[in-house]
C-alpha cells in the first residue's frame, strides 16, 4: 500500500510540500498530461509546449532522485483526459492507501480535488502551498483587518517578513518603501536591449514541440523559436543572466515600449516562477543581493522585488479571497465583444499591433503593454471583461487563472468596482506617446484629438469618462480629469463622443471559438 502524490503542472518544485516527510519507496508520484488542461481554453502553442516539456523533465529528475514516478502522457490511449479520472485510475493501479497533494492554484481545480475524498475511497490530504511567501490564511487575516486592499501596505508587510532591502534597524533601504516614481522613464535612442537567456530545445522538448504542432497547431501563437527554460537549472541560469545583463536598467525603463524590441530590460522569468522551477523568494533575493553587492541601483532592485513579493503575492491572495464571484464581475456594465484584432494584430494602431505581434510570437508582452495598451483599450471600448480575461488566459505563457484573472478583472478592467484599484487604469494617446516610440510611425496622429486620422485612444478616453461620470466624478484621484472635461465646450465634448462612436462602429468582433471551443 502506497501514498499517491499527484503533482500538477505548475508545481514542478523539488521542495514541494507534498514530497517532504515521505520516503520515496513508500510513495508514487503521479504526473498527468490531460486533454482537459490543454483545451479548457485554447492555450498558446508555446504555453502548452512549455508546461509539457517542463513536466517531462521534472519527472526524469524525480526518477534520478530515487522517486517512483507514474507519468501519464497526453497520447496514452488509456488517458481519461482529466485529473480526476487519472487520479482514480492511479489509486487502483497502485493500491494507494492515501492521496497527498499540494493545494492547487486555480479555483476550478480546487473544486475537482474537493470531490476526491468522496469519489476515490481513500483519504485525501491537501497541503498548503508554502512556495508562496504569504499563506492564504495570512492574506485573509491581513485583508479582514483593513477597510480596503491597498497593495502598497501589503507589500511593506512582505518586505518586513522577508527582510529584503531592509536595514538592520527595520527601515527600508534608501528611506523609502516604493521608488516607482523613478521607474517611469521613456525609452532612449540608441540603447542596446539584452535578450533573455535562450535555451536550445533538447530531445525531450523537441518531441513535445512535435506533439504540440500536430495536436494544437491551430491554436493561437507561434511555436517556432521556442527557447524557454524547462528545468530548474536552466531557470537559475536565466535568473543569473537577467540580474547581470538587464536588472541594472530594469527599474528606470520598466514602463517603456519600443517598436521591434520585445524584451527591453524585462526578465521573462515569470513562466519559470509560475511553473515552480524558481521560487519567488530566490528570485527576489537574487535582485536584493545584487543591490547589496553594488551591481544594480536601488530603484531597479526595489522595482523588481516589489513585483515579486508585493504584487504577485497580493494578486494570489486577492484571487482566493474574492473567488468565485469575482470571475463574473462586470461593475462597469461592459458588453462589447472582443475585437478581432486581438487575435490577428490587423490594426493600424501601432501600439496595439506591436503588443499583439509580440504576444503571438512569444506568448509574452510586458506589463505596460498588457495593462496600458491591450487592457486599457478593452476597458475604454467597453469590452466584456470575461472575454478579455479569456484572451489573456489563452495567449500568455505565464498565465494561470490565479494571476491572470485578478490582473484583468480587478486592475485592467476595473470590473470589480474598485476592490483592487482605487481608480481605473485609463489613459489616452498622450500616455502611449510619452512611454513609447510607437506614435511617430503610427497611421493615426496622437496630437489630433477627434475626427479622421486622430488617435483612437484620445476620443475613447474621454468617451469612457463621460459614460461613467456618475461612478467616477467624486473619485478624488480623478478630480483633475473631470475638471478638464467640465471645462470643455458642449461641441468639444460631442466631438469626442462622436469620434469614439464612429471608431467603435468599425470594430469587427472576434470569430467564435478562438478562446473556448
Amino acid at each position: 500500500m502506497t501514498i499517491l502524490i499527484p503533482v500538477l503542472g505548475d508545481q514542478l518544485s523539488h521542495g514541494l510540500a507534498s514530497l517532504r516527510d515521505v520516503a520515496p519507496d513508500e510513495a508514487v508520484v503521479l504526473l498527468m498530461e490531460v486533454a482537459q488542461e490543454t483545451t479548457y481554453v485554447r492555450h498558446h502553442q508555446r504555453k502548452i509546449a512549455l508546461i509539457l516539456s517542463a513536466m517531462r523533465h521534472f519527472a526524469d529528475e524525480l526518477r534520478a532522485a530515487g522517486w517512483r514516478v507514474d507519468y501519464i502522457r497526453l497520447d496514452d490511449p488509456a488517458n481519461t483526459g482529466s485529473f480526476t479520472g487519472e487520479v482514480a485510475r492511479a489509486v487502483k493501479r497502485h493500491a494507494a492507501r492515501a492521496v497527498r497533494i499540494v493545494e492547487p492554484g486555480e479555483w476550478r481545480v480546487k473544486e475537482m480535488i474537493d470531490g476526491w475524498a468522496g469519489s476515490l475511497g481513500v483519504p485525501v490530504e491537501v497541503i498548503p502551498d508554502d512556495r508562496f511567501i504569504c499563506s492564504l490564511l495570512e492574506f485573509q487575516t491581513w485583508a479582514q483587518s483593513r477597510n480596503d486592499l491597498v497593495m502598497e501596505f501589503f507589500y511593506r508587510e512582505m518586505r518586513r517578513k522577508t527582510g529584503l532591502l531592509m536595514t538592520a534597524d527595520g527601515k527600508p533601504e534608501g528611506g523609502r518603501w516604493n521608488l516607482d516614481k523613478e521607474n517611469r522613464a521613456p525609452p532612449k535612442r540608441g540603447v542596446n536591449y539584452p535578450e533573455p537567456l535562450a535555451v536550445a530545445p533538447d530531445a525531450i522538448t523537441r518531441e513535445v514541440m512535435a506533439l504540440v504542432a500536430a495536436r494544437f497547431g491551430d491554436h493561437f501563437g507561434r511555436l517556432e523559436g521556442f527557447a524557454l527554460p524547462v528545468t530548474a537549472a536552466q531557470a537559475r541560469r536565466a535568473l543569473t543572466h537577467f540580474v547581470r545583463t538587464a536588472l541594472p536598467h530594469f527599474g528606470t525603463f520598466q514602463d517603456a515600449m519600443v517598436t521591434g524590441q520585445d524584451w527591453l530590460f524585462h526578465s521573462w522569468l515569470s513562466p519559470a516562477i509560475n511553473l515552480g522551477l524558481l521560487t519567488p523568494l530566490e528570485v527576489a533575493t537574487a535582485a536584493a543581493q545584487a543591490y547589496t553587492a553594488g551591481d544594480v541601483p536601488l530603484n531597479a532592485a526595489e522595482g523588481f522585488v516589489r513585483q515579486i513579493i508585493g504584487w504577485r503575492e497580493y494578486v494570489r491572495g486577492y484571487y482566493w479571497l474574492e473567488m468565485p464571484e469575482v470571475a463574473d464581475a462586470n461593475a462597469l456594465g461592459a458588453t462589447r465583444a472582443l475585437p478581432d484584432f486581438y487575435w490577428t494584430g490587423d490594426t493600424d494602431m501601432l501600439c496595439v499591433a506591436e503588443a499583439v505581434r509580440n504576444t503571438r510570437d512569444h506568448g509574452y508582452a510586458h506589463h505596460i503593454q498588457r495593462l496600458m495598451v491591450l487592457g486599457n483599450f478593452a476597458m475604454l471600448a467597453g469590452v466584456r471583461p470575461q472575454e478579455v480575461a479569456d484572451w489573456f488566459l489563452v495567449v500568455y505563457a505565464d498565465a494561470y487563472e490565479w494571476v491572470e484573472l485578478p490582473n484583468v478583472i480587478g486592475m485592467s478592467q476595473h470590473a470589480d468596482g474598485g476592490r483592487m484599484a482605487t481608480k481605473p487604469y485609463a489613459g489616452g494617446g498622450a500616455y502611449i506617446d510619452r512611454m513609447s516610440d510607437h506614435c511617430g510611425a503610427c497611421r493615426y496622429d496622437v496630437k489630433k484629438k477627434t475626427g479622421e486620422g486622430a488617435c483612437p485612444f484620445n476620443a475613447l478616453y474621454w468617451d469612457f469618462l463621460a459614460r461613467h461620470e456618475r461612478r467616477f466624478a467624486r473619485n478624488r484621484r480623478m478630480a483633475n480629469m473631470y475638471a478638464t472635461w467640465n471645462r470643455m465646450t458642449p461641441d468639444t465634448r460631442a466631438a469626442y463622443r462622436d469620434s469614439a462612436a464612429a471608431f467603435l462602429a468599425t470594430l469587427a468582433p472576434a470569430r467564435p471559438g478562438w478562446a473556448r471551443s
Side-chain angles (χ1 to χ4, degrees):
M1 299 282 283
T2 61
I3 299 172
L4 184 69
I5 305 177
V7 173
L8 305 179
D10 59 352
Q11 296 179 345
L12 308 182
S13 306
H14 288 284
L16 195 67
S18 58
L19 299 176
R20 291 185 220 137
D21 304 320
V22 178
D25 61 354
E26 296 179 351
V28 171
V29 179
L30 176 67
L31 285 99
M32 306 158 279
E33 300 174 2
V34 294
Q36 185 179 55
E37 294 306 299
T38 58
T39 58
Y40 73 92
V41 293
R42 294 169 56 85
H43 298 288
H44 194 295
Q45 294 179 60
R46 287 196 182 203
K47 182 179 183 181
I48 300 174
L50 167 68
I51 296 172
L52 298 188
S53 178
M55 288 175 63
R56 294 185 184 190
H57 282 89
F58 187 68
D60 282 352
E61 292 173 354
L62 287 176
R63 293 187 187 103
W67 291 94
R68 289 186 291 164
V69 177
D70 187 356
Y71 194 95
I72 308 303
R73 293 169 67 111
L74 192 65
D75 49 7
D76 183 338
N79 193 325
T80 64
S82 74
F83 285 147
T84 298
E86 288 311 304
V87 172
R89 285 207 308 141
V91 166
K92 293 180 180 179
R93 190 163 55 248
H94 300 290
R97 61 181 172 84
V99 172
R100 194 169 196 254
I101 187 169
V102 167
E103 62 188 0
E106 300 190 346
W107 182 267
R108 63 185 179 81
V109 182
K110 177 185 180 298
E111 290 187 309
M112 294 180 205
I113 294 173
D114 285 347
W116 288 0
S119 64
L120 297 178
V122 297
V124 177
E125 180 186 10
V126 181
I127 304 169
D129 190 348
D130 59 8
R131 297 174 302 167
F132 289 88
I133 296 164
C134 181
S135 72
L136 296 180
L137 178 59
E138 183 181 358
F139 186 88
Q140 290 165 2
T141 301
W142 174 82
Q144 289 168 1
S145 68
R146 310 193 65 84
N147 293 325
D148 49 42
L149 302 181
V150 177
M151 192 281 290
E152 176 65 23
F153 299 115
F154 171 79
Y155 166 55
R156 295 179 186 184
E157 291 299 316
M158 294 301 100
R159 286 274 293 277
R160 294 186 183 101
K161 180 176 181 177
T162 62
L164 293 175
L165 300 178
M166 300 292 289
T167 63
D169 59 352
K171 304 293 184 182
E173 287 284 354
R176 288 183 292 158
W177 291 101
N178 187 317
L179 278 69
D180 191 47
K181 291 182 179 179
E182 298 176 22
N183 293 347
R184 302 173 185 172
K188 289 186 177 180
R189 294 181 181 273
V191 173
N192 292 320
Y193 297 102
E195 293 193 358
L197 181 72
V199 179
D202 62 8
I204 293 174
T205 301
R206 291 194 298 271
E207 181 183 23
V208 167
M209 291 173 68
L211 171 67
V212 171
R215 190 158 177 167
F216 308 105
D218 62 340
H219 282 211
F220 178 77
R222 289 181 178 169
L223 190 58
E224 299 81 3
F226 179 93
L228 285 167
V230 292
T231 69
Q234 292 171 357
R236 290 189 185 103
R237 290 200 298 272
L239 171 60
T240 299
H241 175 81
F242 163 69
V243 170
R244 184 180 69 252
T245 65
L247 181 58
H249 301 288
F250 165 79
T252 302
F253 299 107
Q254 67 174 280
D255 288 2
M257 296 175 284
V258 178
T259 303
Q261 294 288 341
D262 296 341
W263 314 107
L264 283 82
F265 296 109
H266 294 269
S267 72
W268 197 211
L269 293 170
S270 52
I273 302 171
N274 291 352
L275 279 172
L277 304 180
L278 295 170
T279 68
L281 187 58
E282 73 177 306
V283 173
T285 298
Q289 289 176 343
Y291 165 73
T292 301
D295 296 329
V296 304
L298 182 58
N299 72 315
E302 188 279 320
F304 187 73
V305 166
R306 181 169 9 105
Q307 296 297 322
I308 301 298
I309 73 168
W311 189 250
R312 183 177 185 271
E313 297 283 328
Y314 170 87
V315 161
R316 188 240 188 175
Y318 172 98
Y319 173 81
W320 286 104
L321 186 70
E322 300 295 317
M323 282 293 283
E325 292 79 11
V326 72
D328 296 320
N330 189 0
L332 301 185
T335 58
R336 185 176 302 280
L338 187 77
D340 192 49
F341 60 65
Y342 274 77
W343 299 109
T344 66
D346 186 13
T347 173
D348 289 332
M349 293 180 289
L350 184 57
C351 58
V352 174
E354 271 290 286
V356 173
R357 177 199 59 76
N358 199 3
T359 301
R360 180 193 64 230
D361 290 353
H362 303 298
Y364 167 80
H366 73 66
H367 66 284
I368 294 300
Q369 290 175 304
R370 299 191 200 195
L371 176 64
M372 295 306 299
V373 176
L374 299 166
N376 181 31
F377 182 90
M379 183 179 66
L380 297 182
V383 177
R384 184 172 175 267
Q386 284 66 38
E387 292 194 35
V388 183
D390 274 356
W391 185 83
F392 272 81
L393 184 59
V394 166
V395 302
Y396 291 115
D398 57 357
Y400 299 84
E401 190 182 72
W402 69 264
V403 65
E404 168 272 322
L405 189 72
N407 272 297
V408 172
I409 298 295
M411 188 177 191
S412 168
Q413 301 306 295
H414 205 78
D416 67 347
R419 177 76 164 149
M420 175 180 281
T422 55
K423 77 174 186 65
Y425 278 85
Y431 174 85
I432 296 170
D433 189 30
R434 182 169 67 253
M435 297 310 303
S436 79
D437 68 350
H438 297 326
C439 298
C442 185
R443 182 181 80 78
Y444 293 108
D445 184 355
V446 71
K447 304 298 184 186
K448 189 175 182 181
K449 305 303 182 183
T450 60
E452 179 64 27
C455 173
F457 278 90
N458 292 332
L460 291 174
Y461 173 76
W462 290 111
D463 182 64
F464 172 81
L465 293 183
R467 294 199 316 270
H468 300 291
E469 185 170 8
R470 180 173 294 181
R471 174 179 290 272
F472 296 127
R474 294 184 180 180
N475 186 315
R476 62 180 180 80
R477 297 188 64 196
M478 302 180 73
N480 290 339
M481 305 170 193
Y482 280 104
T484 300
W485 174 252
N486 291 329
R487 286 195 298 269
M488 294 180 187
T489 66
D491 287 347
T492 300
R493 293 187 202 174
Y496 276 120
R497 304 293 309 270
D498 291 347
S499 288
F503 178 79
L504 291 172
T506 69
L507 298 181
R511 287 169 283 171
W514 274 101
R516 297 180 186 264
S517 300

